[in-house]
Amino acid sequence: MSELIIRPIIHKGQNRILVKFEINAAFNVRMRKVPGARWSRSLKGWTIPDTDENRNQCKLPLQVASALIPPQPAVQTHTPLSPNNKKELGMMGKAALLYISQNNNEQMQKFLQHLQLKAYSQSTIRTYRNEFAQLLQLLGNIPVQDLKPQHLQRYFIYCHSKGLSENTLHSRINAIKYYYEQVLHKEKMFFEIPRPKRPLLLPKILNEAELKRMFSAVSNIKHKAILFTAYSAGLRVSETVCLRVQDIDSKRMQIFVRRAKGKKDRVVNLSILVLDVLRQYIKLQNPRPANYLFTGPDGKEPYSERSAQKIFQRAKEQAGIKKDLSFHSLRHSFATHLLEKGIDVKYIKELLG
């Protein structure tokens, strides 16, 4: 960790201040001298009582002032955030759920129930939950339903100061906007709150030579089948791991992609090469897939998205590819290669769903 993190939290039902820093013996000695200081193994940092005196020492707003959302960040960043730290700060939603007041927890439940009744995907619900939890955790005992537009604007400035990307900020704004406008029916809450401009970035892709090297580097037939299928059909990682055996139609040479993003079904072409790889994979797999095409260790549940992403990263490293790529790059590569071969862009869009 390359920074000092100081922020108010609710820990084990008590108002505390979390203090995290890289290993430093002198700092640890100082922390032990603070009355009521305790080391938290789960938080991997020190917690001290949330008092005005301790807030003064930590340069945090006093509790009376915090009722309007801290005007300056509680996270003190002394060096630029590394990609790992950005990920840590941007994805602490699950941990934040542990430190939410009773009132705000009730609001979280209303929020989640509303999303479920609207039949949002589990992925969207998980993202919205984690982003909304960031605000609730920071509020402490302040009722989230009482916030005004000016408080939210200051909160988003605070989020920006943490070094979050524009995409993460958009997700956070969308989640909080949904709560106020859809759950509380406050229609004009976000009228005057500007959104960060998204950068226009070209998708990162693998060229055909790199793809050949990467596929050749994979010896595990199951792993090869996952990567081949994803690339050849332009599938998202979630679509790949959720494929069922019955979705592979060898007579029509098609793959049926069910309820993908936007809850839309679509049909994509099944290549001869992929069909051969899938047949070899199923023949050697024990237990043989009966429902999901790619299963986890129990042979029943679908293969996890994280495991599929790890397969891609391992294959990329084994092939000596240094580009900063993700599993989703297979989908971008598929679309780009079709475009380079003169395929109509409208048809490519249909294939990609």
Side-chain angles (χ1 to χ4, degrees):
M1 183 169 62
S2 58
E3 73 220 342
L4 173 66
I5 295 178
I6 304 174
R7 58 189 176 88
I9 64 170
I10 297 176
H11 185 50
K12 297 183 178 179
Q14 297 180 343
N15 291 326
R16 309 280 291 177
I17 296 173
L18 173 66
V19 183
K20 296 179 69 171
F21 46 83
E22 55 188 341
I23 298 173
N24 187 305
F27 276 21
N28 283 330
V29 170
R30 289 174 60 185
M31 291 305 302
R32 289 192 184 96
K33 293 180 180 179
V34 178
R38 291 196 294 266
W39 172 260
S40 171
R41 185 179 298 176
S42 60
L43 297 174
K44 298 180 181 178
W46 289 90
T47 70
I48 59 178
D50 189 354
T51 63
D52 285 349
E53 181 181 356
N54 285 341
R55 281 179 173 249
N56 241 336
Q57 292 293 325
C58 295
K59 297 181 180 179
L60 290 173
L62 299 183
Q63 292 179 13
V64 175
S66 70
L68 297 179
I69 303 284
Q72 54 186 346
V75 178
Q76 311 291 332
T77 305
H78 299 292
T79 58
L81 292 176
S82 68
N84 288 337
N85 284 328
K86 286 184 181 180
K87 184 177 181 181
E88 176 189 347
L89 291 171
M91 301 183 68
M92 290 175 63
K94 289 184 179 179
L97 289 170
L98 301 174
Y99 316 115
I100 296 175
S101 68
Q102 183 176 348
N103 170 81
N104 289 342
N105 185 56
E106 291 172 359
Q107 295 303 310
M108 170 64 85
Q109 298 311 311
K110 290 181 182 178
F111 178 67
L112 294 176
Q113 288 170 8
H114 202 283
L115 289 167
Q116 290 165 355
L117 288 172
K118 295 283 281 186
Y120 275 69
S121 71
Q122 287 303 309
S123 176
T124 300
I125 291 176
R126 183 168 56 248
T127 299
Y128 274 32
R129 178 201 64 188
N130 292 348
E131 298 299 354
F132 190 43
Q134 295 293 325
L135 171 62
L136 301 186
Q137 187 274 332
L138 184 67
L139 287 174
N141 292 320
I142 302 168
V144 65
Q145 62 268 33
D146 293 346
L147 298 187
K148 306 297 181 187
Q150 60 268 31
H151 304 148
L152 294 173
Q153 187 161 0
R154 287 164 66 182
Y155 170 68
F156 293 132
I157 292 173
Y158 156 71
C159 291
H160 180 74
S161 73
K162 294 203 308 183
L164 299 182
S165 68
E166 291 84 356
N167 288 333
T168 301
L169 286 170
H170 271 272
S171 292
R172 191 158 298 182
I173 292 172
N174 288 340
I176 295 172
K177 184 176 188 289
Y178 185 96
Y179 167 73
Y180 284 103
E181 294 186 354
Q182 301 297 321
V183 181
L184 299 185
H185 305 293
K186 296 185 178 182
E187 296 181 2
K188 297 184 179 180
M189 283 289 285
F190 286 73
F191 183 74
E192 296 181 357
I193 296 178
R195 283 178 177 265
K197 185 176 181 180
R198 294 177 189 263
L200 295 175
L201 303 176
L202 291 174
K204 298 175 181 177
I205 67 166
L206 291 151
N207 60 45
E208 293 187 4
E210 289 170 330
L211 278 169
K212 184 177 180 180
R213 285 197 348 248
M214 190 177 76
F215 291 146
S216 298
V218 181
S219 57
N220 184 297
I221 186 61
K222 181 177 182 178
H223 297 174
K224 183 169 290 190
I226 289 172
L227 297 178
F228 263 60
T229 304
Y231 168 71
S232 70
L235 302 181
R236 300 176 177 90
V237 63
S238 59
E239 296 167 351
T240 305
V241 298
C242 287
L243 283 175
R244 299 173 188 265
V245 175
Q246 66 194 54
D247 295 333
I248 309 300
D249 189 341
S250 58
K251 292 182 179 179
R252 295 185 177 181
M253 295 303 291
Q254 293 177 335
I255 300 175
F256 180 66
V257 184
R258 64 181 73 215
R259 294 179 69 79
K261 190 171 182 180
K263 297 187 177 180
K264 297 177 182 178
D265 295 342
R266 72 180 190 277
V267 175
V268 296
N269 294 330
L270 171 64
S271 77
I272 296 285
L273 177 60
V274 172
L275 181 59
D276 287 343
V277 172
L278 288 176
R279 281 175 171 165
Q280 185 183 359
Y281 151 68
I282 291 175
K283 182 179 178 181
L284 297 175
Q285 191 70 5
N286 187 21
R288 190 181 179 120
N291 184 13
Y292 288 103
L293 183 61
F294 304 114
T295 59
D298 63 357
K300 297 178 181 179
E301 296 299 315
Y303 206 65
S304 73
E305 293 182 20
R306 180 167 295 184
S307 296
Q309 290 161 347
K310 287 181 178 179
I311 288 171
F312 174 84
Q313 292 300 330
R314 195 179 304 119
K316 181 173 73 76
E317 291 169 6
Q318 290 172 345
I321 299 170
K322 304 298 183 183
K323 293 179 180 178
D324 182 17
L325 302 168
S326 68
F327 192 101
H328 203 71
S329 301
L330 292 172
R331 179 173 161 87
H332 287 308
S333 302
F334 165 78
T336 303
H337 297 161
L338 287 182
L339 195 61
E340 289 173 347
K341 288 177 170 58
I343 305 299
D344 187 87
V345 69
K346 290 183 179 179
Y347 178 66
I348 297 174
K349 288 175 69 176
E350 288 179 6
L351 287 176
L352 294 174

